[in-house]
């Protein structure tokens, strides 16, 4: 899937992946897609909760080689 911006959150622990995701989304236009790569297994639950709370759409969550990849569409 295409994305407009990528955030490398590898090596960061909770709550930093979410905080950096929020900061990145703030710079983007509505409808744009942010790709986030994280190594924190807690970010799987956190990203879903963040999407539910903020109204941004979590398009996908995948895991590859102990890395979690999220695609989030800004509301």
């Amino acid at each position: 899937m295409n994305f407009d911006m990528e955030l490398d959150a590898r090596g960061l622990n909770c709550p930093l992946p979410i905080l950096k995701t929020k900061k990145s989304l703030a710079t983007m236009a509505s409808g744009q897609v942010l790709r986030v790569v994280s190594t924190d297994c807690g970010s799987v639950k956190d990203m879903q909760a963040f999407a539910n709370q903020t109204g941004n759409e979590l398009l996908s969550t995948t895991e590859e080689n102990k890395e979690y990849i999220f695609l989030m569409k800004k509301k």
Side-chain angles (χ1 to χ4, degrees):
M1 176 178 257
N2 293 334
F3 54 91
D4 300 290
M5 182 185 285
E6 183 168 28
L7 170 63
D8 183 356
R10 294 179 190 108
L12 301 177
N13 293 320
C14 184
L16 290 175
I18 291 296
L19 293 175
K20 290 193 175 281
T21 296
K22 182 177 180 180
K23 189 174 182 180
S24 294
L25 286 169
T27 69
M28 299 173 71
S30 180
Q32 288 189 309
V33 176
L34 174 66
R35 180 179 190 258
V36 181
V37 182
S38 175
T39 52
D40 179 15
C41 64
S43 62
V44 175
K45 283 185 183 177
D46 292 344
M47 287 290 180
Q48 185 61 61
F50 175 77
N52 290 342
Q53 290 173 354
T54 62
N56 296 299
E57 184 180 355
L58 185 59
L59 300 174
S60 71
T61 302
T62 55
E63 181 184 352
E64 296 175 13
N65 303 319
K66 297 184 181 178
E67 292 184 343
Y68 304 94
I69 301 166
F70 308 96
L71 289 174
M72 188 167 294
K73 184 175 183 180
K74 183 170 178 175
K75 65 176 180 177

